[in-house]
Amino acid sequence: MTSLPKHLTGDQASIDEFIDKFDVRVLWSGDHTFPGTVETLELLRSKGKKTIFVTNNSTKSRPEYQKKFTSLGIPSHVDEIFGSAYSSAIYISRIMKLPAPKNKVFVLGEAGIEAELRSEGVEFIGGTDPAYRRDITPADYKNIADGSMLDDNIGIVLAGLDLHINYLKFSLAYQYLQRGAKFLATNTDSTFPSHHAFFPGAGSISIPLVNMTGQHPIALGKPSQAMMDSIEGKFQFDRKKTCMVGDRLDTDIRFGIEGKLGGTLAVLTGVSKKEHWEAEGAEVIPAYYVDKLSDLMG
Amino acid sequence: MTSLPKHLTGDQASIDEFIDKFDVRVLWSGDHTFPGTVETLELLRSKGKKTIFVTNNSTKSRPEYQKKFTSLGIPSHVDEIFGSAYSSAIYISRIMKLPAPKNKVFVLGEAGIEAELRSEGVEFIGGTDPAYRRDITPADYKNIADGSMLDDNIGIVLAGLDLHINYLKFSLAYQYLQRGAKFLATNTDSTFPSHHAFFPGAGSISIPLVNMTGQHPIALGKPSQAMMDSIEGKFQFDRKKTCMVGDRLDTDIRFGIEGKLGGTLAVLTGVSKKEHWEAEGAEVIPAYYVDKLSDLMG
């Protein structure tokens, strides 16, 4: 029986103890900030704490994320940002290292993935190429079936959030997998939050391929430890002195627990609620929680 | 232990016995015929056997199917044809009978579904409407989230094979389901065969919604018995004197077995192979099999 998390909101002694305990915070990142978030990050920085931003959003590259943080008033450096597109590019170029020429990637996704693959020198097709943003034609069926429309050098299918997904792309990705390409996903979140509602996430792009092939992709976003290894490869941080902060139990908090970080802090401004870890059989239980991040300011 | 099926190919005595035993054949239907199929159907008809054509393809209406059969040289009548689009329309109009006004359907699919819904007087939006065949815009996120872009009278989401599927349609379907719409699928085949290869089937359109909502749709195609009930409602045939003929164990043959038809005949010109029912733990075992349908001509 794991014990229930400590509620830090309004408990100054516990907040101080919490802040002292960790040197590094690995922070989730959504599309907006809540009141007080910027000030809280400044407070932590002033106490010498390092912040790393980790996001499963694969549609933006790290430089694009950095721009966004700047616009939100959050100082950051590109090297402190880890996105699932970057994590995927690293995995492909430094871990898989498929031998040329059969090492090209067929991308289901947006420009963020393309930018990160380019930064690692990985060749790819698909993605935002307008040639794939069209309806399937009768000739396509024939040319996909007989292989004449396929690139023989595709060794990997990488599925991320593709806001321009279509039947042609699904058909091509399936055919590449059938012909032996390895199956990766930037992340497999079924949804993502926007405007206080939910929209189809990257997992909605990969799941038809899972259903068709019976294969599951290697996922490179949280809670995959491939993401943690990629962060560690860059920072050599002490896991025991590091706390994962996030608003989703199944990705953020699980990521911290499975990565054996020193602590996990759930923030109740997102998807996950207190009831989730209090429920019978709850598997993912944070060490701490606050109602909102700015509660750390006391 | 169910016994293995009888191989009819080349065994004239068994073929004669088989033909005598059944009055009605329920036939699967693909996109092409094999040599001898037309002659075989004529032979059966000359012996007074009734043929019913059943297809999970939802992209064509029954009249469109009938035209196709005519072009293939197969005499047929619209009433002998059952498609999953028709079966879905029947289910919505005659079984669900949701009270107006919240009984409109949001369609993910092609013209065949629309034609069948119209023939049953069911109101719908989506489908082939060009208004939905476009990229999602920043304003859409807001308008979907706040409901201003949604039709309050949608009570059902019906997912079939949509060759023009896109992110906007997935987002809208998900939102309708979140707001309580019932979830139906014309069929849930993950793939369908074309040009000796496979392409994403209707199941590839519904599976992201299953993954996002945790709900499974009521499927109206084979092997769903809703399809069998719909056929029976029309013909009052004797199930014991009826044989299901098909090339897919998991849809066609299962459909016949679960429908308690008198027999099932597997035809080895499609997806399923002899090895499938001979495998350890095989669940779906036909009563008979032939290498190709024309083997019934002896």
Side-chain angles (χ1 to χ4, degrees), chain A residues 57-69:
Chain A
N57 184 333
S58 66
T59 63
K60 289 190 177 71
S61 63
R62 288 163 300 149
E64 286 172 309
Y65 248 96
Q66 206 243 318
K67 250 187 240 168
K68 200 191 81 168
F69 286 137

Side-chain angles (χ1 to χ4, degrees), chain A residues 135 141-142 144-145 161-167 170-171 174-175 190-192 195 197-200 203-204 207-208 211-212, chain B residues 135 141-142 144-145 161-167 170-171 174-175 190-192 195 197-200 203-204 207-208 211-212:
Chain A
D135 290 344
Y141 287 102
K142 186 190 150 294
I144 290 172
L161 180 59
D162 189 337
L163 302 172
H164 302 79
I165 189 62
N166 60 34
Y167 191 83
F170 276 140
S171 300
Y174 173 65
Q175 202 51 235
S190 63
T191 59
F192 75 87
H195 293 80
F198 290 93
F199 287 85
S204 297
I207 197 78
N211 192 42
M212 281 185 265
Chain B
D135 290 345
Y141 287 101
K142 185 190 150 293
I144 290 172
L161 180 59
D162 189 335
L163 302 171
H164 303 79
I165 188 63
N166 60 35
Y167 190 83
F170 276 139
S171 300
Y174 173 65
Q175 202 51 236
S190 64
T191 60
F192 75 88
H195 294 80
F198 291 93
F199 288 84
S204 297
I207 197 79
N211 192 44
M212 282 185 266

Side-chain angles (χ1 to χ4, degrees), chain B residues 49-295:
Chain B
K49 310 298 181 183
K50 180 162 184 60
T51 299
I52 303 170
F53 301 91
V54 180
T55 173
N56 273 5
N57 184 332
S58 66
T59 63
K60 290 190 177 70
S61 64
R62 288 163 301 148
E64 287 173 307
Y65 249 96
Q66 207 243 318
K67 251 187 240 169
K68 200 191 81 168
F69 285 138
T70 303
S71 77
L72 294 171
I74 302 171
S76 66
H77 188 273
V78 164
D79 282 342
E80 294 166 345
I81 300 167
F82 283 81
S84 63
Y86 179 59
S87 175
S88 302
I90 291 286
Y91 187 82
I92 291 168
S93 66
R94 306 191 194 178
I95 296 173
M96 291 179 84
K97 294 190 226 170
L98 295 186
K102 210 174 165 66
N103 59 355
K104 270 170 93 170
V105 181
F106 181 72
V107 174
L108 296 175
E110 299 292 331
I113 297 176
E114 296 179 325
E116 298 295 9
L117 289 176
R118 260 186 227 110
S119 78
E120 287 290 312
V122 176
E123 276 194 89
F124 62 87
I125 60 168
T128 64
D129 185 345
Y132 297 91
R133 290 186 175 175
R134 62 173 179 81
D135 290 345
I136 196 166
T137 66
D140 289 332
Y141 287 101
K142 185 190 150 293
N143 297 334
I144 290 172
D146 69 17
S148 60
M149 195 173 155
L150 303 175
D151 183 331
D152 286 339
N153 291 331
I154 296 297
I156 295 168
V157 168
L158 172 60
L161 180 59
D162 189 335
L163 302 171
H164 303 79
I165 188 63
N166 60 35
Y167 190 83
L168 176 65
K169 292 186 191 182
F170 276 139
S171 300
L172 288 165
Y174 173 65
Q175 202 51 236
Y176 284 123
L177 292 176
Q178 285 295 92
R179 288 164 182 249
K182 306 290 178 197
F183 188 12
L184 304 185
T186 58
N187 60 305
T188 54
D189 302 71
S190 64
T191 60
F192 75 88
S194 181
H195 294 80
H196 306 289
F198 291 93
F199 288 84
S204 297
I205 307 301
S206 54
I207 197 79
L209 300 169
V210 172
N211 192 44
M212 282 185 266
T213 63
Q215 285 180 58
H216 284 266
I218 296 175
L220 282 308
K222 296 168 292 177
S224 163
Q225 293 301 312
M227 173 74 100
M228 191 69 87
D229 295 343
S230 153
I231 299 172
E232 200 175 37
K234 199 126 188 179
F235 289 114
Q236 312 292 333
F237 61 94
D238 179 353
R239 294 199 184 202
K240 286 290 155 231
K241 299 280 281 173
T242 301
C243 184
M244 177 70 202
V245 183
D247 65 358
R248 274 187 101 129
L249 294 177
D250 56 350
T251 51
D252 300 321
I253 303 303
R254 182 184 288 274
F255 180 62
I257 292 171
E258 294 185 351
K260 300 192 169 41
L261 298 190
T264 51
L265 172 70
V267 183
L268 296 183
T269 41
V271 183
S272 296
K273 304 292 165 205
K274 217 174 131 186
E275 292 70 36
H276 295 156
W277 63 71
E278 286 175 348
E280 183 110 25
E283 280 181 6
V284 183
I285 303 173
Y288 306 92
Y289 76 102
V290 284
D291 298 349
K292 53 189 190 300
L293 193 67
S294 59
D295 290 347

Side-chain angles (χ1 to χ4, degrees), chain B residues 4-36:
Chain B
L4 287 175
K6 178 171 272 189
H7 191 186
L8 300 181
T9 298
D11 176 351
Q12 194 58 50
S14 294
I15 290 172
D16 292 342
E17 196 191 319
F18 170 81
I19 291 179
D20 281 351
K21 194 169 173 185
F22 301 106
D23 292 340
V24 183
R25 326 267 138 176
V26 178
L27 275 180
W28 91 103
S29 157
D31 265 344
H32 59 291
T33 59
F34 288 90

Side-chain angles (χ1 to χ4, degrees), chain A residues 186-235:
Chain A
T186 56
N187 60 306
T188 54
D189 302 70
S190 63
T191 59
F192 75 87
S194 180
H195 293 80
H196 305 289
F198 290 93
F199 287 85
S204 297
I205 308 301
S206 55
I207 197 78
L209 301 169
V210 172
N211 192 42
M212 281 185 265
T213 63
Q215 285 179 60
H216 284 266
I218 296 175
L220 282 309
K222 296 170 291 178
S224 163
Q225 292 303 310
M227 174 75 101
M228 192 69 86
D229 294 344
S230 153
I231 300 172
E232 199 174 38
K234 200 128 190 177
F235 289 114

